[in-house]
Every structure is written in C-alpha cells, then in structure tokens.
Amino acid sequence: MTSPNYKLIVNYGPEMPIITGPASAETGHSVTFNCSASSQPLCHFSWFFNGSQVATGSVYETGPLTLASHGEYTCVAFNNITGRNSTISKMLTVVGESVTPT
C-alpha cells in the first residue's frame, strides 16, 4: 500500500542579505544596488538612505548623484510569514566628476 504524496514547505528567513553595487561613484552618474536574501517564501525589500526610506523592491537605482548622495544605503529584507527581517548596509562614496584636460 502506498501513501499519498505530501509536500513539506519549511518557511524560514530572510537570512544573510547581500547588497551588490559600487562602493564609489562620480557626481552626475546613477548607481544601481541589488539586494538578495535566502528566504521561504520570497521576502520583500525596502531601501533606506541615511535612515530614511527611499524605495521598495530588490533593486534600487539612484537618480543622478550629487555630493549629498554620499552615505549609507541600507536594505531591509522582510518575510511576512515568519515575521522576521534582516538588514545590511553599504556605504557609497560620491566624488566630483573628473575633468579631462583637452
């Protein structure tokens, strides 16, 4: 006799979030940060710049950078089933655009 198939789903996370993106950029350019984390079900992401929320979603693209864009970019991953969140931050250094002599 064979029992019916069962599917076991283990909810967990988010664990070990990672931000990919540059550590420095020039004024006038934009940068893209990507956040990922291990989680079941998939987690939701929020982005913060120097403590203020600026976006939701796993990808955050800045507008054209100014010197005021220098600072800490934080990704918060949240799993609404486990009720857990996990945070990671990355510093972005913004420098004035280089000028090449003609």
Side-chain angles (χ1 to χ4, degrees):
M1 192 166 185
T2 305
S3 65
N5 290 335
Y6 287 95
K7 184 175 183 179
L8 175 66
I9 298 174
V10 178
N11 295 317
Y12 66 93
E15 296 175 5
M16 299 186 309
I18 297 169
I19 294 178
T20 57
S24 64
E26 293 181 343
T27 57
H29 294 97
S30 62
V31 297
T32 301
F33 293 113
N34 291 280
C35 189
S36 59
S38 179
S39 181
Q40 174 61 41
L42 295 176
C43 52
H44 303 277
F45 298 95
S46 296
W47 287 94
F48 294 81
F49 171 61
N50 289 340
S52 298
Q53 186 171 358
V54 292
T56 58
S58 62
V59 178
Y60 175 58
E61 184 169 350
T62 67
L65 298 171
T66 66
L67 293 177
S69 306
H70 169 88
E72 183 178 60
Y73 290 81
T74 301
C75 170
V76 177
F78 177 71
N79 181 321
N80 61 342
I81 299 299
T82 65
R84 292 181 59 214
N85 65 50
S86 193
T87 302
I88 188 165
S89 296
K90 183 177 186 89
M91 287 298 296
L92 177 68
T93 301
V94 179
V95 295
E97 192 169 1
S98 1
V99 177
T100 351
T102 54

